[in-house]
Each structure stands twice: as structure tokens, then as C-alpha cells.
Amino acid sequence: GLRSEFFERRVLTTLALFRAVQDNYAEYAGVDADSGLSYYRGVDVESQGFELEASGRITEEWHLLAGYTDLDLEDRNGDDARTFIPRRTVNLTTRYAPQALPGLQLGLAVKWQDEIHLDAAAGEIRQDARDVWTMFASYAFADRYEISVQADNLTDEKYLTSLYWDQSFYAPPRNYTASFRVDF
């Protein structure tokens, strides 16, 4: 990998290349109808790709974290393997802390991934590409108190949490959290 600093050490960037080979990796293959027990098969998987990340201060008040991952997963024959794992992901988080209002922080985060699928016994299960947004704000005061609010899944995106098994659950819909913290 490579690591660099820019803008008088305010922004750190990284580039990582990776490659891994897994022989006889246990992968779920179904359920035995007679015993009701799950069974697995051994697969050989090769993964390779890269990750890019940048983090730091754009200005004294504005912080940013951005990342991108690109992944290839193939079996011994060169076919796509473990298709329930996204091949491309993007993460972006930004936080603004205005100097004019000490203690206040406002932020926004988005996580995106491309489509995934699973060839299941009942047919193919497919999850379209998705992005999930989060917004947050906090205010610290009197050197020991902090109040914060967060809104998750702002666009109320309906998506499955995972396709690892032949079944899945929907992720939580839009939801809100508020908290009050006291430091002793």
C-alpha cells in the first residue's frame, strides 16, 4: 500500500492493493431433507482488489472521510464466487464544527454498495445497488454535557441486510435516536 499526506498534513490518503487465496473454503450448500441439517461444500476462492481512502480536514471546521473499495472474487474456474458480497462500495462521512458555535457538530454519512445476488434452492435472490444515508448533530456544553440526535436510513430505503443464507431480513426503516451524555 501507499500512504500520503497533503495540505500541510491535514489530509491523509491511502491506497491498498490486496490479494488472497483460500483453498477448500467452507460454503453453505443447502439442507439435508432427511436430517434437517445444513451441509457445506469446499470451494477455492481467490480475491483481489484495491481500497482508496482519504481523511482529514478540508478546513478548520470541515472534516471528511471518503473511501472506495473494488473487489474481485473468483472460484478456481474464473467464475464469480460469493456473489452475496458487494464488489464495489463507497463510504463518505463529513462533519462540520463551526468555530462560531463551539460544541456544535453537524454531520452526514452515506454508504453505497453495488448489487448482490445469491443462487438459492428456490431461485435467484437479488438485491439492487443501494445507498443508505445518516444525518447527525451534537452539542457539547458546560464542559461535561452533550446532547445528540441521529437519523438513520433517511430515504427509508428498503433493502435486505444480507444474502449469505437463503433467507434474510429487511434492514430497519428510517429511525431516529436522541441521547444525553454526562461526563463525570
Side-chain angles (χ1 to χ4, degrees):
L2 299 171
R3 187 177 274 191
S4 297
E5 294 176 335
F6 297 97
F7 308 112
E8 298 173 2
R9 302 180 76 177
R10 290 190 331 222
V11 176
L12 173 67
T13 60
T14 60
L15 166 64
L17 304 174
F18 58 86
R19 182 174 183 273
V21 177
Q22 297 173 305
D23 294 326
N24 206 25
Y25 185 81
E27 183 173 84
Y28 177 77
V31 176
D32 180 67
D34 295 330
S35 68
L37 299 174
S38 298
Y39 61 90
Y40 296 79
R41 63 186 175 107
V43 295
D44 297 336
V45 179
E46 180 178 321
S47 61
Q48 60 188 6
F50 66 91
E51 293 181 330
L52 297 169
E53 186 174 276
S55 63
R57 296 182 316 207
I58 303 302
T59 68
E60 289 299 317
E61 299 175 326
W62 184 22
H63 297 250
L64 180 70
L65 171 64
Y68 173 76
T69 302
D70 191 284
L71 169 69
D72 287 318
L73 281 165
E74 297 177 347
D75 63 17
R76 181 180 294 182
N77 301 322
D79 296 325
D80 278 345
R82 304 178 64 79
T83 57
F84 54 85
I85 296 174
R87 299 309 198 245
R88 280 164 289 291
T89 59
V90 175
N91 293 306
L92 176 64
T93 302
T94 186
R95 181 173 46 90
Y96 181 70
Q99 292 179 349
L101 294 169
L104 178 65
Q105 293 189 52
L106 305 170
L108 182 68
V110 62
K111 294 183 177 185
W112 175 88
Q113 72 176 47
D114 63 348
E115 74 174 34
I116 54 176
H117 69 275
L118 177 68
D119 294 323
E124 184 182 58
I125 303 169
R126 183 168 294 279
Q127 173 68 59
D128 292 335
R130 63 176 165 87
D131 51 66
V132 179
W133 295 77
T134 298
M135 189 169 25
F136 54 91
S138 68
Y139 182 65
F141 57 98
D143 293 331
R144 57 184 283 195
Y145 304 106
E146 182 180 74
I147 187 166
S148 61
V149 293
Q150 181 165 314
D152 292 313
N153 196 1
L154 282 174
T155 59
D156 208 19
E157 180 79 15
K158 189 174 183 179
Y159 65 96
L160 300 169
T161 56
S162 171
L163 297 184
Y164 182 72
W165 306 101
D166 286 358
Q167 64 181 4
S168 186
F169 298 98
Y170 283 109
R174 181 183 308 119
N175 61 88
Y176 306 91
T177 305
S179 65
F180 181 73
R181 189 180 88 196
V182 178
D183 292 332
F184 294 94

